[in-house]
Each structure stands twice: as structure tokens, then as C-alpha cells.
Amino acid sequence: METTKKKIVIAGAGFGGITAALFLNKAFSRNPKLRREYQIIIVNNHHSHLYTPAIYEIAAIPQGRHALDYVKSSITIPLADIFHRTLVEWRERQIVAIDRIKKELRFDNDETLGYEYLVLALGAETSYFNIPGAKEHSYPLKTFADAVKLQTEGSGLGLFLVRNIIARHGGSVAVDTEEGKGSTFSFTLPLNEDHVPENNGGQEEFIEGLSV
Ligand SMILES: Cc1cc2nc3c(=O)[nH]c(=O)nc-3n(C[C@H](O)[C@H](O)[C@H](O)COP(=O)(O)OP(=O)(O)OC[C@H]3O[C@@H](n4cnc5c(N)ncnc54)[C@H](O)[C@@H]3O)c2cc1C
């Protein structure tokens, strides 16, 4: 809702943005003058907060929509729930530019939002620090989409680790999936030490495992 109040805008609803918004909410609830003069608006490019410490769970589950949806609901927390009964307004927008002279944000739909104060909490991007091969031979794990990619294109983090450990001991892993019913995982291991590969700790093998 548009008001004449000055705006404190928080860009990004990650850990930093949400903490800032809830701190401000606390201060506002104790101070009527602040409430009269300012409004708090948090802007995020998604309507939910992504709880990053748990996104490995998506990457680690065996493929299957049911499990993915179940895990998704515990990792993405709706901003509507977080800011319910607070003085914080939230908006789902993709910020494309910040004009510090005009003091306004520009969104991808060409809308703008002016601010008196801006809290920048847009997070970071994955960096490869110019390490040769790092980008080509790795999967980043930072966003929800990254985790789904790792789960569907890779073999899932847990399965990936199992596959590599078994392979290093000369065994193999097999998966038998029946849609709508589930998957059966089995592995073989050699009984005779002669069948264990000599170079069983090689970096190349480990990296190759990523492209299962
Ligand atoms: C897999 C993983 C596990 C982690 N585990 C832990 C842990 O156990 N403990 C711990 O302390 N830290 C952990 N971290 C680190 C932690 O997630 C970060 O330090 C923290 O999220 C940084 O907070 P932030 O607010 O700066 O950025 P973020 O939390 O990344 O928030 C940035 C927000 O800005 C939004 N945004 C970005 N660009 C735009 C745009 N253009 N327009 C609109 N919105 C935008 C993003 O969608 C996001 O919601 C983990 C990180 C990862 C990737």
C-alpha cells in the first residue's frame, strides 16, 4: 500500500535481510514515532526464504517428485509466514538496478521503488577463483535450482558418495526403479583383494563420478 511515509527498504530476504527486517520490526513496535514516519519493505526475487543449511537434503534424496516436494516445504519458508503479524511488508521482485542518486530500486518489470534508507542484503554469487577446471567439473550448491540440478543430473549427493566409495573398492552400484513404487539400490564388492583397483584414491575418478 502506497503511503507518504518514508521507506526503509531491505533488498534481499536471505539471512541478513530477514534479520534486519525483524530487528527493525522490534524497534518499530516499541516506538510510535518510527511507525508514524517510516515503513519497512523487504524485496526478494522469490516469495520464500531459502534455508541454505538444509538444501543439501534436496541434492541427497533419490529422484522422485514426492520426496522433493516434501523436502522443499521444509527448506523454503514463505515470506508471508515470516512477516505475518509484523509491520514488515514484503514484495516479490527482481531488482535489476539501484540508483543511489535518485534513491530508488528498479525492478525487471520496470517498476521503481524509492527509499530513504536501503539495506543491501543480496548475498553472493558462487566464485571459482580462476581455478582451472573448477567450473567445468563441479556443481555449485547455493540455490534451490542448484540442488535440484545436482539431484537430477548427478546421482544425488548421498548416492554419489556411496558410488565413489564402492567404486574405489572395486565394486559397483546398481539402481532398479519402478515409477510410483520406489527404487532398490544394490552394490557388489570383490571378495578378493586383487580386484581392488590400485589407484583407488585418485582425484580424476572422484571428479568423473560427478558426471554419473
Ligand atoms: C549449501 C549452503 C549451506 C550453508 N550452511 C550454513 C550453515 O550451516 N550455517 C551458516 O551460518 N551459514 C551457512 N551457509 C552460509 C549462509 O547461507 C550465508 O552466509 C548466508 O545465506 C548469507 O546471508 P545473506 O543475507 O548475505 O545472503 P543470502 O542468504 O544469499 O540472501 C540473499 C537474498 O537476496 C535475494 N536476491 C539476490 N539477488 C536478488 C535480486 N537481484 N533481486 C531480488 N532479490 C535478490 C536472494 O534470492 C536471497 O534471498 C550455507 C550456505 C550454503 C550455500
Side-chain angles (χ1 to χ4, degrees):
M1 190 176 67
E2 282 309 315
T3 70
T4 53
K5 289 181 185 177
K6 290 181 263 187
K7 296 177 181 71
I8 300 176
V9 174
I10 299 162
F15 283 176
I18 285 178
T19 306
L22 294 177
F23 264 107
L24 282 170
N25 180 62
K26 210 170 186 179
F28 272 49
S29 59
R30 289 177 182 152
N31 187 329
K33 189 170 181 290
L34 275 177
R35 288 203 296 276
R36 273 195 305 275
E37 288 184 20
Y38 292 95
Q39 66 180 132
I40 313 163
I41 303 174
I42 188 161
V43 182
N44 199 52
N45 52 7
H46 197 268
H47 56 73
S48 295
H49 165 77
L50 180 69
Y51 183 65
T52 49
I55 57 174
Y56 77 90
E57 287 184 27
I58 298 168
I61 55 175
Q63 290 182 34
R65 293 287 324 160
H66 183 70
L68 183 61
D69 287 345
Y70 175 75
V71 175
K72 186 180 175 186
S73 66
S74 66
I75 293 171
T76 54
I77 307 160
L79 297 182
D81 290 354
I82 296 172
F83 296 116
H84 181 59
R85 291 172 188 266
T86 71
L87 297 161
V88 181
E89 280 177 43
W90 62 273
R91 298 197 187 159
E92 185 183 0
R93 298 280 188 283
Q94 176 75 30
I95 301 162
V96 291
I98 301 168
D99 188 329
R100 289 168 60 199
I101 311 290
K102 286 193 196 161
K103 292 180 108 173
E104 66 179 26
L105 300 181
R106 179 169 296 280
F107 305 130
D108 61 350
N109 61 359
D110 268 350
E111 239 179 64
T112 56
L113 177 68
Y115 61 81
E116 183 67 21
Y117 294 103
L118 176 66
V119 178
L120 264 186
L122 293 169
E125 288 183 346
T126 301
S127 174
Y128 297 93
F129 301 101
N130 294 325
I131 298 169
K135 191 170 181 182
E136 296 74 25
H137 297 292
S138 66
Y139 282 96
L141 182 57
K142 189 158 181 62
T143 64
F144 190 85
D146 289 345
V148 172
K149 194 171 177 193
L150 190 55
Q151 189 235 3
T152 52
E153 289 188 16
S155 50
L157 200 54
L159 190 53
F160 161 64
L161 292 173
V162 168
R163 181 189 175 279
N164 274 276
I165 293 165
I166 298 284
R168 284 166 192 222
H169 289 83
S172 63
V173 178
V175 186
D176 184 14
T177 300
E178 206 176 329
E179 200 166 340
K181 290 204 169 167
S183 302
T184 306
F185 297 87
S186 57
F187 64 88
T188 62
L189 280 173
L191 291 173
N192 191 325
E193 229 180 58
D194 295 341
H195 295 290
V196 177
E198 267 179 33
N199 176 22
N200 67 351
Q203 185 71 9
E204 292 82 355
E205 276 179 35
F206 192 74
I207 288 170
E208 269 169 30
L210 279 166
S211 54
V212 180

